[in-house]
Amino acid sequence: VAGTARGTGSLSDVAEPAVDVRVRLDDLLLGEVAVRDIGGRLQGTPANLRADATAQVAVPRLEPFEAEVSAYGPVTGPLTLGSIVADAAGGVQQAQGSAAWADGVQVSLGGYLRDIDLAALHDELEGRADASLQFLYRDERISLELGDLTGTLAGRPIGGAVALTQIEAGWRLEPGRLSVGANSLNGRGELAGGRISVEADLDAPELGALGLGIDGDLAGRVELGGAW
């Protein structure tokens, strides 16, 4: 990571030097994700630093959006992530949490997604959604949970909760549920080490409510397992 910094420092207390620096970083390219126009301010002492930053983020399928981050804490960590705000997919996302690195990097976030435009995620989806968010990165693995899902899809109410956990050589979909109108899906699955397993119960008396151009009804249990 490269960039520029300009500001002031104080050695009035040699044991606790203070800084007030404006920082601008070069663009970051993380696979298909681009983080541009990164700028912010760093102020305080090694024992009590505050950082505020903004950036433009570009990810596949979505319009570029702005993200803002405020954090504070000692240089050695942990940092309190007091506010993370973004405006992706036509809605608002906000989270708070912490970041530590003394015994390996760990990031924990909790927050919400509000008024997400489902068409921004897939062209054939019409509606908007809200959900709570829990994110954890620990031991080089990620877990993500979306709960309290509410909103509409093709004019029908939606609800449910889903959770995804990174495991050795793959991912596990924790037992979850989704509903659209009178349709419901309860299931779990795992994709890891060249193997896949899925268990799901589907009750869909109104397939037209899914907004995918499919009519009729469908009910049953799916059990899938195999390797490649």
Side-chain angles (χ1 to χ4, degrees), residues 11-157:
L11 293 175
S12 58
D13 183 347
V14 177
E16 195 73 6
V19 297
D20 188 349
V21 179
R22 296 282 182 177
V23 178
R24 180 159 293 278
L25 300 180
D26 293 345
D27 294 348
L28 298 177
L29 299 178
L30 309 170
E32 295 183 316
V33 178
V35 185
R36 309 183 189 279
D37 299 328
I38 308 167
R41 184 180 184 183
L42 184 66
Q43 53 187 325
T45 66
N48 186 20
L49 279 177
R50 179 179 177 87
D52 298 282
T54 62
Q56 290 289 323
V57 182
V59 300
R61 290 196 57 82
L62 296 182
E63 292 291 325
F65 60 90
E66 184 173 271
E68 301 178 1
V69 180
S70 294
Y72 56 90
V75 170
T76 55
L79 286 181
T80 297
L81 304 175
S83 177
I84 301 174
V85 181
D87 57 3
V92 175
Q93 303 83 46
Q94 186 166 0
Q96 298 176 321
S98 63
W101 50 87
D103 298 311
V105 176
Q106 177 175 317
V107 179
S108 176
L109 298 174
Y112 62 81
L113 316 177
R114 290 287 184 268
D115 203 28
I116 302 301
D117 183 3
L118 298 179
L121 307 178
H122 192 288
D123 294 339
E124 296 183 356
L125 299 179
E126 179 185 349
R128 307 192 81 87
D130 301 340
S132 63
L133 166 71
Q134 295 291 328
F135 172 88
L136 177 65
Y137 177 84
R138 181 172 59 191
D139 299 328
E140 299 184 349
R141 295 184 181 179
I142 292 171
S143 63
L144 176 66
E145 179 181 350
L146 296 178
D148 304 318
L149 179 64
T150 60
T152 61
L153 175 64
R156 304 309 207 280

